[in-house]
Amino acid sequence: MRRKIAAGNWKMNAMQGDLAEASSIANHPADAIDVVLCPPATLLAQMSALPLGTGGQDCHANSAGAHTGDIAASQLRDAGASYTLTGHSERRTDHGETNAMINAKSVAAIDAGLIAIICIGETLSERENGSTLTIIDGQLAGSIPDCATALNTVIAYEPVWAIGTGKIPSTAQIGEVHDHIRAHLQNRFADGNDMRILYGGSVKASNAQEIFAIANVDGALVGGASLKAADFTPIMDALAKA
Ligand code: PEP
């Protein structure tokens, strides 16, 4: 049995005053699932004092040094995180992150004792020209390090065109990609059947139940709908019931 994860990515949002939302999320009953929030680094230490998992949104591939503005995986751990995202599409686009860079960051995260949530997904043009599974194959092969195990790595499938747009793939499209990812993990890793695969992209309370019923969907990575407890807790509830 894979334990399900409801993960929230707060991106470059939230101030001290928003910690109350995290507190409400942390105090919502959710024994059956893992709940993880990835706040901006400014809130990480405070949020890590709450009864929920926390994560960074990115980490550097190096363990320390002259990298102004970056954050090391060990610093995320030191602030109380147990996870970090790597390879989010906004990092791939805004910072030109390649699969090789994401692979190195994921190794750094794992070496620091974090669980890497490695994000992959196709763009709209890749979806429309029929290359989704080829792109996914390249990202899986390139971004996931060989040291990945079900204990230190989670995969998040996030179609770029579904992130923050309100557009969402059909259940058949999500199922096709998740099954494809599962086959890759099973072929490559001894415990590939135990690795968790999250869906991300415009998940909301209104579509969560349908998404969580899809085979090989082990939870969600949620952006906008994770910022407010009123939006996120129904998603947690839907996952706990799935
Ligand atoms: C995300 O940023 O990972 C994400 C899935 O965002 P949203 O839920 O807002 O589409």
Side-chain angles (χ1 to χ4, degrees):
M1 272 294 278
R2 295 182 293 266
R3 191 170 158 87
K4 299 193 168 147
I5 306 179
N9 173 13
W10 280 21
K11 312 194 187 193
M12 198 171 70
N13 297 301
M15 304 286 184
Q16 295 291 320
D18 297 299
L19 284 167
E21 293 295 334
S23 195
S24 297
I25 291 168
N27 290 316
H28 187 76
D31 290 345
I33 61 171
D34 291 336
V35 178
V36 181
L37 290 180
C38 301
T42 49
L43 300 179
L44 185 57
Q46 286 157 290
M47 213 182 266
S48 296
L50 299 172
L52 82 178
T54 57
Q57 298 176 7
D58 176 52
C59 68
H60 199 278
N62 291 358
S63 55
H67 302 288
T68 303
D70 281 313
I71 193 154
S74 55
Q75 292 173 314
L76 297 173
R77 190 97 173 93
D78 187 51
S82 34
Y83 295 78
T84 187
L85 305 179
T86 57
H88 191 281
S89 71
E90 287 150 19
R91 299 289 313 176
R92 290 178 186 259
T93 304
D94 295 355
H95 300 272
E97 293 191 5
T98 62
N99 288 326
M101 291 161 72
I102 293 155
N103 189 309
K105 285 169 183 252
S106 302
V107 171
I110 291 166
D111 284 350
L114 297 173
I115 297 171
I117 303 178
I118 304 175
C119 305
I120 59 173
E122 81 286 0
T123 62
L124 185 58
S125 60
E126 290 161 348
R127 165 63 63 179
E128 287 175 346
N129 71 23
S131 57
T132 295
L133 297 183
T134 308
I135 293 296
I136 294 296
D137 281 340
Q139 292 175 334
L140 289 168
S143 304
I144 307 179
D146 290 335
C147 63
T149 69
L151 292 178
N152 64 27
T153 299
V154 173
I155 309 302
Y157 167 56
E158 299 205 299
V160 179
W161 53 276
I163 295 178
T165 60
K167 292 183 193 149
I168 193 146
S170 68
T171 52
Q173 287 171 323
I174 296 174
E176 179 189 37
V177 177
H178 278 245
D179 288 351
H180 192 79
I181 295 170
R182 175 68 61 213
H184 172 99
L185 298 176
Q186 284 170 333
N187 285 338
R188 185 168 159 204
F189 299 102
D191 61 356
N193 196 48
D194 299 329
M195 284 188 191
R196 287 154 316 163
I197 308 171
L198 312 183
Y199 169 77
S202 296
V203 176
K204 298 179 175 48
S206 56
N207 57 26
Q209 192 183 353
E210 191 178 23
I211 293 168
F212 296 150
I214 302 170
N216 284 314
V217 171
D218 303 313
L221 177 56
V222 183
S226 69
L227 289 165
K228 299 280 176 210
D231 296 327
F232 196 53
T233 53
I235 297 172
M236 291 162 54
D237 290 342
L239 186 61
K241 283 192 207 125

